[in-house]
PDB file of all heavy atoms in Angstrom:
ATOM      1  N   ALA I 337      -5.025  28.012  18.133  1.00 89.00           N
ATOM      2  CA  ALA I 337      -6.456  27.800  18.354  1.00 89.00           C
ATOM      3  C   ALA I 337      -7.108  29.107  18.776  1.00 89.00           C
ATOM      4  O   ALA I 337      -8.212  29.448  18.352  1.00 89.00           O
ATOM      5  CB  ALA I 337      -6.670  26.730  19.417  1.00 89.00           C
ATOM      6  N   LEU I 338      -6.397  29.869  19.604  1.00 89.00           N
ATOM      7  CA  LEU I 338      -6.913  31.146  20.098  1.00 89.00           C
ATOM      8  C   LEU I 338      -7.197  32.100  18.950  1.00 89.00           C
ATOM      9  O   LEU I 338      -8.101  32.926  19.012  1.00 89.00           O
ATOM     10  CB  LEU I 338      -5.868  31.750  21.047  1.00 89.00           C
ATOM     11  CG  LEU I 338      -6.242  32.953  21.908  1.00 89.00           C
ATOM     12  CD1 LEU I 338      -7.412  32.594  22.798  1.00 89.00           C
ATOM     13  CD2 LEU I 338      -5.056  33.364  22.746  1.00 89.00           C
ATOM     14  N   ALA I 339      -6.413  31.966  17.875  1.00 88.00           N
ATOM     15  CA  ALA I 339      -6.515  32.926  16.775  1.00 88.00           C
ATOM     16  C   ALA I 339      -7.576  32.541  15.751  1.00 88.00           C
ATOM     17  O   ALA I 339      -7.813  33.292  14.815  1.00 88.00           O
ATOM     18  CB  ALA I 339      -5.163  33.052  16.079  1.00 88.00           C
ATOM     19  N   GLN I 340      -8.222  31.364  15.904  1.00 88.00           N
ATOM     20  CA  GLN I 340      -9.129  30.904  14.857  1.00 88.00           C
ATOM     21  C   GLN I 340     -10.532  31.469  15.002  1.00 88.00           C
ATOM     22  O   GLN I 340     -10.984  31.759  16.115  1.00 88.00           O
ATOM     23  CB  GLN I 340      -9.205  29.378  14.850  1.00 88.00           C
ATOM     24  CG  GLN I 340      -7.889  28.697  14.630  1.00 88.00           C
ATOM     25  CD  GLN I 340      -7.190  29.165  13.368  1.00 88.00           C
ATOM     26  OE1 GLN I 340      -7.804  29.310  12.327  1.00 88.00           O
ATOM     27  NE2 GLN I 340      -5.899  29.433  13.484  1.00 88.00           N
ATOM     28  N   GLN I 341     -11.205  31.595  13.889  1.00 88.00           N
ATOM     29  CA  GLN I 341     -12.590  32.050  13.874  1.00 88.00           C
ATOM     30  C   GLN I 341     -13.545  30.890  13.624  1.00 88.00           C
ATOM     31  O   GLN I 341     -14.746  31.031  13.802  1.00 88.00           O
ATOM     32  CB  GLN I 341     -12.775  33.089  12.754  1.00 88.00           C
ATOM     33  CG  GLN I 341     -12.163  34.425  13.068  1.00 88.00           C
ATOM     34  CD  GLN I 341     -12.804  35.054  14.285  1.00 88.00           C
ATOM     35  OE1 GLN I 341     -14.014  35.124  14.398  1.00 88.00           O
ATOM     36  NE2 GLN I 341     -11.978  35.487  15.234  1.00 88.00           N
ATOM     37  N   ASP I 342     -13.001  29.765  13.152  1.00 88.00           N
ATOM     38  CA  ASP I 342     -13.812  28.618  12.770  1.00 88.00           C
ATOM     39  C   ASP I 342     -13.802  27.627  13.938  1.00 88.00           C
ATOM     40  O   ASP I 342     -12.742  27.204  14.395  1.00 88.00           O
ATOM     41  CB  ASP I 342     -13.173  27.992  11.509  1.00 88.00           C
ATOM     42  CG  ASP I 342     -13.968  26.819  10.998  1.00 88.00           C
ATOM     43  OD1 ASP I 342     -14.679  26.189  11.792  1.00 88.00           O
ATOM     44  OD2 ASP I 342     -13.874  26.542   9.780  1.00 88.00           O
ATOM     45  N   LEU I 343     -14.996  27.289  14.433  1.00 88.00           N
ATOM     46  CA  LEU I 343     -15.068  26.398  15.603  1.00 88.00           C
ATOM     47  C   LEU I 343     -14.301  25.103  15.376  1.00 88.00           C
ATOM     48  O   LEU I 343     -13.633  24.589  16.267  1.00 88.00           O
ATOM     49  CB  LEU I 343     -16.526  26.060  15.907  1.00 88.00           C
ATOM     50  CG  LEU I 343     -17.339  27.101  16.684  1.00 88.00           C
ATOM     51  CD1 LEU I 343     -18.779  26.641  16.796  1.00 88.00           C
ATOM     52  CD2 LEU I 343     -16.742  27.324  18.058  1.00 88.00           C
ATOM     53  N   LYS I 344     -14.387  24.573  14.153  1.00 89.00           N
ATOM     54  CA  LYS I 344     -13.737  23.305  13.885  1.00 89.00           C
ATOM     55  C   LYS I 344     -12.217  23.456  13.903  1.00 89.00           C
ATOM     56  O   LYS I 344     -11.500  22.578  14.377  1.00 89.00           O
ATOM     57  CB  LYS I 344     -14.196  22.787  12.527  1.00 89.00           C
ATOM     58  CG  LYS I 344     -14.225  21.289  12.458  1.00 89.00           C
ATOM     59  CD  LYS I 344     -14.933  20.859  11.203  1.00 89.00           C
ATOM     60  CE  LYS I 344     -14.772  19.380  10.989  1.00 89.00           C
ATOM     61  NZ  LYS I 344     -15.332  18.982   9.693  1.00 89.00           N
ATOM     62  N   ARG I 345     -11.755  24.581  13.374  1.00 89.00           N
ATOM     63  CA  ARG I 345     -10.315  24.834  13.415  1.00 89.00           C
ATOM     64  C   ARG I 345      -9.839  24.975  14.857  1.00 89.00           C
ATOM     65  O   ARG I 345      -8.718  24.563  15.187  1.00 89.00           O
ATOM     66  CB  ARG I 345      -9.993  26.127  12.665  1.00 89.00           C
ATOM     67  CG  ARG I 345      -9.545  25.873  11.252  1.00 89.00           C
ATOM     68  CD  ARG I 345      -9.189  27.169  10.561  1.00 89.00           C
ATOM     69  NE  ARG I 345      -8.973  26.891   9.158  1.00 89.00           N
ATOM     70  CZ  ARG I 345      -7.782  26.565   8.644  1.00 89.00           C
ATOM     71  NH1 ARG I 345      -6.717  26.538   9.398  1.00 89.00           N
ATOM     72  NH2 ARG I 345      -7.655  26.269   7.381  1.00 89.00           N
ATOM     73  N   ILE I 346     -10.666  25.578  15.694  1.00 90.00           N
ATOM     74  CA  ILE I 346     -10.281  25.726  17.098  1.00 90.00           C
ATOM     75  C   ILE I 346     -10.041  24.349  17.704  1.00 90.00           C
ATOM     76  O   ILE I 346      -9.015  24.095  18.338  1.00 90.00           O
ATOM     77  CB  ILE I 346     -11.389  26.480  17.876  1.00 90.00           C
ATOM     78  CG1 ILE I 346     -11.481  27.921  17.371  1.00 90.00           C
ATOM     79  CG2 ILE I 346     -11.104  26.444  19.380  1.00 90.00           C
ATOM     80  CD1 ILE I 346     -12.570  28.728  18.025  1.00 90.00           C
ATOM     81  N   VAL I 347     -10.996  23.449  17.478  1.00 89.00           N
ATOM     82  CA  VAL I 347     -10.845  22.112  18.042  1.00 89.00           C
ATOM     83  C   VAL I 347      -9.646  21.397  17.406  1.00 89.00           C
ATOM     84  O   VAL I 347      -8.896  20.695  18.080  1.00 89.00           O
ATOM     85  CB  VAL I 347     -12.136  21.289  17.844  1.00 89.00           C
ATOM     86  CG1 VAL I 347     -12.012  19.954  18.542  1.00 89.00           C
ATOM     87  CG2 VAL I 347     -13.332  22.047  18.378  1.00 89.00           C
ATOM     88  N   ALA I 348      -9.458  21.632  16.095  1.00 89.00           N
ATOM     89  CA  ALA I 348      -8.351  20.965  15.408  1.00 89.00           C
ATOM     90  C   ALA I 348      -7.000  21.395  15.982  1.00 89.00           C
ATOM     91  O   ALA I 348      -6.160  20.562  16.308  1.00 89.00           O
ATOM     92  CB  ALA I 348      -8.418  21.272  13.914  1.00 89.00           C
ATOM     93  N   TYR I 349      -6.800  22.692  16.120  1.00 89.00           N
ATOM     94  CA  TYR I 349      -5.519  23.153  16.662  1.00 89.00           C
ATOM     95  C   TYR I 349      -5.356  22.748  18.119  1.00 89.00           C
ATOM     96  O   TYR I 349      -4.239  22.497  18.577  1.00 89.00           O
ATOM     97  CB  TYR I 349      -5.386  24.664  16.512  1.00 89.00           C
ATOM     98  CG  TYR I 349      -4.898  25.077  15.144  1.00 89.00           C
ATOM     99  CD1 TYR I 349      -5.719  25.761  14.272  1.00 89.00           C
ATOM    100  CD2 TYR I 349      -3.605  24.767  14.744  1.00 89.00           C
ATOM    101  CE1 TYR I 349      -5.284  26.130  13.014  1.00 89.00           C
ATOM    102  CE2 TYR I 349      -3.155  25.132  13.491  1.00 89.00           C
ATOM    103  CZ  TYR I 349      -3.991  25.816  12.629  1.00 89.00           C
ATOM    104  OH  TYR I 349      -3.542  26.161  11.396  1.00 89.00           O
ATOM    105  N   SER I 350      -6.476  22.691  18.835  1.00 88.00           N
ATOM    106  CA  SER I 350      -6.350  22.282  20.230  1.00 88.00           C
ATOM    107  C   SER I 350      -5.859  20.842  20.323  1.00 88.00           C
ATOM    108  O   SER I 350      -5.251  20.459  21.312  1.00 88.00           O
ATOM    109  CB  SER I 350      -7.675  22.458  20.956  1.00 88.00           C
ATOM    110  OG  SER I 350      -8.581  21.473  20.529  1.00 88.00           O
ATOM    111  N   SER I 351      -6.091  20.047  19.256  1.00 88.00           N
ATOM    112  CA  SER I 351      -5.565  18.685  19.264  1.00 88.00           C
ATOM    113  C   SER I 351      -4.044  18.693  19.232  1.00 88.00           C
ATOM    114  O   SER I 351      -3.396  17.885  19.893  1.00 88.00           O
ATOM    115  CB  SER I 351      -6.052  17.904  18.042  1.00 88.00           C
ATOM    116  OG  SER I 351      -7.409  17.656  18.139  1.00 88.00           O
ATOM    117  N   VAL I 352      -3.487  19.607  18.449  1.00 89.00           N
ATOM    118  CA  VAL I 352      -2.031  19.725  18.420  1.00 89.00           C
ATOM    119  C   VAL I 352      -1.526  19.988  19.824  1.00 89.00           C
ATOM    120  O   VAL I 352      -0.549  19.392  20.298  1.00 89.00           O
ATOM    121  CB  VAL I 352      -1.610  20.863  17.466  1.00 89.00           C
ATOM    122  CG1 VAL I 352      -0.104  21.035  17.474  1.00 89.00           C
ATOM    123  CG2 VAL I 352      -2.120  20.604  16.063  1.00 89.00           C
ATOM    124  N   SER I 353      -2.228  20.862  20.502  1.00 89.00           N
ATOM    125  CA  SER I 353      -1.857  21.208  21.863  1.00 89.00           C
ATOM    126  C   SER I 353      -1.969  20.000  22.798  1.00 89.00           C
ATOM    127  O   SER I 353      -1.044  19.677  23.542  1.00 89.00           O
ATOM    128  CB  SER I 353      -2.782  22.347  22.315  1.00 89.00           C
ATOM    129  OG  SER I 353      -2.539  22.681  23.622  1.00 89.00           O
ATOM    130  N   SER I 354      -3.084  19.301  22.717  1.00 90.00           N
ATOM    131  CA  SER I 354      -3.285  18.157  23.625  1.00 90.00           C
ATOM    132  C   SER I 354      -2.291  17.042  23.356  1.00 90.00           C
ATOM    133  O   SER I 354      -1.845  16.369  24.283  1.00 90.00           O
ATOM    134  CB  SER I 354      -4.696  17.600  23.452  1.00 90.00           C
ATOM    135  OG  SER I 354      -5.637  18.543  23.846  1.00 90.00           O
ATOM    136  N   MET I 355      -1.959  16.835  22.085  1.00 91.00           N
ATOM    137  CA  MET I 355      -1.004  15.780  21.790  1.00 91.00           C
ATOM    138  C   MET I 355       0.391  16.172  22.261  1.00 91.00           C
ATOM    139  O   MET I 355       1.225  15.313  22.533  1.00 91.00           O
ATOM    140  CB  MET I 355      -0.997  15.448  20.291  1.00 91.00           C
ATOM    141  CG  MET I 355      -2.337  14.929  19.763  1.00 91.00           C
ATOM    142  SD  MET I 355      -3.127  13.723  20.816  1.00 91.00           S
ATOM    143  CE  MET I 355      -2.317  12.247  20.304  1.00 91.00           C
TER     144      MET I 355
END
Side-chain angles (χ1 to χ4, degrees):
Chain I
L338 191 59
Q340 301 305 316
Q341 286 298 311
D342 182 335
L343 279 176
K344 211 169 170 186
R345 263 182 189 270
I346 293 178
V347 185
Y349 277 112
S350 72
S351 291
V352 178
S353 177
S354 295
M355 298 316 276

